[in-house]
Amino acid sequence: MLLAPVPLDQPVAQWPALAQQLTLRPDQGVDQPFHTFWTAAWLHGSAAHRLQNLGAVALLAWMGWLAALPRAAALALLAAWPLTQLGLLLQPSPIAHYVGLSGVVHAGVAVVCVHSLAANHPRFPKALAAVALLGIVAKLIMENPVAHRLVQPPGSDITVVPWVHLSGAVAGLLCALPGALWCRLGAQRGRPAG
């Protein structure tokens, strides 16, 4: 995330060498370096794109702090990170390259909400978690990732890939459920969550 923005208006072959090595290329399937499923999130298309993602990460961290998330939530997010990017390979018409953190942020919101629904922490009650989760679902429905491969938001200097938002939310949900259920069962038996 601290790297200079990549020139999205140019072919990847014209990007700086390090950016070429870090970007994810969904149209190449699994025939690419495995590290790109993590490192693509470190690249951004502009300074504004990086700032938006850093703001989203800060909001996500605040949500996690409010919810007093257990270690299982951190493990869920670590597992969801590469699965989010891997989900881009399932896009009906794969894109040539992907950079950014928004899919991982969507995974993080799903993780926070699932764990909060299981724990009901007073600073992040179930009702707030349910509203946040419904908000993500509504956003995904409005983005319509099946019909819209790329979206150029008004006033934005980058294109958005709605599919990665869907992929992130699904990966976060699937990775969070086992840990959240484990923590809930432990809490019911009087053991500390973790």
Side-chain angles (χ1 to χ4, degrees):
M1 285 201 293
L2 302 177
L3 300 174
V6 295
L8 294 177
D9 58 342
Q10 297 176 8
V12 174
Q14 295 178 7
W15 291 7
L18 181 58
Q20 289 181 42
Q21 294 171 13
L22 299 180
T23 191
L24 180 68
R25 299 180 191 201
D27 63 348
Q28 293 182 6
V30 293
D31 189 26
Q32 58 190 305
F34 193 66
H35 67 82
T36 61
F37 293 98
W38 282 272
T39 58
W42 300 348
L43 300 171
H44 291 87
S46 69
H49 182 211
R50 178 177 33 220
L51 190 59
Q52 290 166 351
N53 277 319
L54 287 174
V57 167
L59 179 61
L60 184 60
W62 180 69
M63 289 170 62
W65 175 78
L66 280 178
L69 294 180
R71 287 183 300 271
L75 293 174
L77 183 55
L78 284 175
W81 185 321
L83 293 177
T84 295
Q85 315 299 32
L86 193 61
L88 275 172
L89 308 186
L90 302 174
Q91 188 174 13
S93 179
I95 57 176
H97 56 81
Y98 174 76
V99 301
L101 194 59
S102 61
V104 177
V105 169
H106 281 71
V109 172
V111 167
V112 169
C113 291
V114 166
H115 275 273
S116 296
L117 286 170
N120 197 29
H121 195 278
R123 290 189 318 222
F124 203 91
K126 285 184 180 185
L128 184 56
V131 167
L133 201 53
L134 287 173
I136 287 287
V137 169
K139 179 181 182 292
L140 292 172
I141 290 170
M142 287 188 298
E143 288 179 339
N144 194 357
V146 174
H148 299 109
R149 186 170 170 250
L150 295 169
V151 175
Q152 177 78 42
S156 178
D157 54 356
I158 61 158
T159 53
V160 174
V161 183
W163 189 270
V164 80
H165 298 165
L166 173 63
S167 177
V170 170
L173 180 71
L174 293 176
C175 290
L177 280 172
L181 292 174
W182 179 261
C183 290
R184 184 172 175 95
L185 288 173
Q188 289 175 344
R189 293 182 181 154
R191 288 182 297 205

